Amino acid sequence: ENVKDSAGGIMSTVYISLREGMTVETAIHTLREMAPDAETTYYVYVTNASGALVGVLSLRELIVAQPSTFIRSIMRRNVISVHVDEDQEEVARVVSKYNLLAIPVIDADNRLLGIITVDDVLDVVQEEATEDVLRMAGAPQGTHRDSGTPLAKTRKRLPWLYTLLFGEILAAG
């Protein structure tokens, strides 16, 4: 499978993650420094000392918590994530199923590698839909519409043109 068609191929490596042992006050201070560079700040991902993804929380949850509270006590531990080798269509299905704005990408050791935002997923869905339409129309696989000789293109589309012509004659009658 092609790397560009996987989660790793469409993920952004600019994201916000915090350590589970931080206090809310330290986390907010860290966010102020990191946020301008991050792709998105919908969710804050929480990692342990070895970089493994252990939790997630929203900015709202972080802001309303007491400053002395530890991140590990307010984070949600059941994080929906995708593996770096996951097919991009499967990533789109997961994002859609759980109605996420972003999804973390992890490796085999559960280490956080990046995130995929909903706008990246929309690009994938649009690309896949275009491929499906071209395939149904009889366009050559893996090529652009300007490939092939005019005669070859005509031969490929001729059965469709005859079918449409016959349908139109019936409709007119």
Side-chain angles (χ1 to χ4, degrees), residues 132-149:
D132 292 346
V133 168
L134 289 174
R135 195 176 306 116
M136 287 189 314
Q141 291 275 331
T143 58
H144 298 291
R145 65 186 148 217
D146 61 339
S147 66
T149 65

Side-chain angles (χ1 to χ4, degrees), residues 69-136:
T69 306
F70 284 99
I71 297 295
R72 75 169 63 86
S73 65
I74 59 171
M75 70 182 189
R76 283 175 272 139
R77 294 181 186 278
N78 56 339
V79 185
I80 297 160
S81 60
V82 291
H83 190 271
V84 68
D85 296 328
E86 192 85 54
D87 183 74
Q88 62 183 9
E89 286 184 69
E90 183 57 29
V91 173
R93 279 191 284 279
V94 172
V95 168
S96 175
K97 179 180 179 182
Y98 295 102
N99 201 19
L100 300 170
L101 297 172
I103 191 164
V105 179
I106 57 169
D107 66 9
D109 296 322
N110 205 39
R111 280 194 304 267
L112 183 58
L113 301 177
I115 63 165
I116 299 172
T117 60
V118 70
D119 57 320
D120 297 328
V121 171
L122 287 174
D123 293 342
V124 168
V125 170
Q126 183 178 5
E127 185 180 299
E128 296 296 332
T130 302
E131 285 176 15
D132 292 346
V133 168
L134 289 174
R135 195 176 306 116
M136 287 189 314

Side-chain angles (χ1 to χ4, degrees), residues 10-25:
I10 59 172
M11 75 179 184
S12 168
T13 54
V14 182
Y15 56 89
I16 296 176
S17 72
L18 301 171
R19 292 290 165 95
E20 62 181 339
M22 284 182 167
T23 63
V24 168
E25 184 176 24

